[in-house]
C-alpha cells in the first residue's frame, strides 16, 4: 500500500545550500583532531566570509596528518597565520585555530555516493582581493595540489 505524505520530499533534501567549487575567504570556526589508526586527521569547520553572497555558509573538510599529507597541514597552518612558535615546536593547539582567516580553494568529490569537500589550496587572507578576481573556471581548472597563490609569488 502506498500513502501520500505531503511535505515528505522537503525533509529528504539538504536544508543547507551547498557551497560551490571555488575560492573563498574563510574563518576557522572549529578544529578537532580525530584519531584513526591509519589516517589521523583534523575536522575543520570553516565559515565563508567572502564572497558576501555566501557569507556564513559552513565548509566542513578534513586535513590528514599522515606522513604523506603533513605538507598540506603545514601549508594550511602557515597561510592561516598560525602561531609560528607553536609551529616551530611542532604543536597544533586546537584552541588557537578558531578565528584564523585565510583564502581556501575547495572542490567537491563524490565517493561511494557521499559528497566530500576537498581543501585544495590555501593563501594568506591578504591575497583575497587579488585571488577573488580570478574566474572560478580557471581557478578550478588547476591541479588539486597547486597553490592558488603560487602565481603571485
Amino acid at each position: 500500500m502506498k500513502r501520500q505524505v505531503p511535505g515528505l520530499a522537503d525533509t529528504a533534501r539538504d536544508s543547507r545550500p551547498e557551497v560551490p567549487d571555488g575560492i573563498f575567504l574563510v574563518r576557522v570556526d572549529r578544529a578537532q583532531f580525530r584519531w584513526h589508526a591509519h589516517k589521523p586527521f583534523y575536522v575543520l569547520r570553516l565559515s565563508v566570509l567572502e564572497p558576501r553572497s555566501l557569507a556564513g555558509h559552513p565548509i566542513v573538510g578534513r586535513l590528514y596528518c599522515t606522513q604523506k599529507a603533513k605538507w598540506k597541514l603545514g601549508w594550511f597552518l602557515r597561510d592561516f597565520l598560525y602561531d609560528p612558535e607553536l609551529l616551530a615546536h611542532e604543536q597544533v593547539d586546537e584552541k588557537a585555530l578558531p578565528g584564523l582567516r585565510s583564502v581556501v580553494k575547495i572542490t567537491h568529490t563524490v565517493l561511494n555516493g557521499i559528497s566530500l569537500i576537498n581543501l585544495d589550496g590555501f593563501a594568506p587572507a591578504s591575497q583575497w582581493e587579488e585571488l577573488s578576481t580570478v574566474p572560478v573556471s580557471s581557478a578550478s581548472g588547476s591541479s588539486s595540489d597547486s597553490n592558488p597563490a603560487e602565481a603571485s609569488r
Side-chain angles (χ1 to χ4, degrees), residues 27-104:
R27 176 189 66 237
V28 177
D29 283 344
R30 185 174 54 224
Q32 186 176 30
F33 181 77
R34 296 290 174 100
W35 185 85
H36 183 275
H38 301 290
K39 285 185 149 184
F41 60 92
Y42 280 93
V43 175
L44 300 174
R45 180 179 172 90
L46 311 171
S47 285
V48 175
L49 301 173
E50 295 283 344
R52 289 265 184 230
S53 61
L54 294 170
H57 281 80
I59 297 173
V60 179
R62 291 181 179 188
L63 274 180
Y64 289 94
C65 303
T66 63
Q67 195 62 35
K68 289 175 84 173
K70 282 184 189 171
W71 66 271
K72 192 178 250 188
L73 178 61
W75 181 15
F76 165 82
L77 294 170
R78 183 190 71 230
D79 284 355
F80 273 79
L81 302 178
Y82 180 70
D83 184 344
E85 188 173 320
L86 289 173
L87 197 54
H89 291 351
E90 299 182 337
Q91 297 175 347
V92 178
D93 181 359
E94 292 173 18
K95 293 178 182 177
L97 293 171
L100 297 181
R101 297 168 20 135
S102 182
V103 176
V104 66

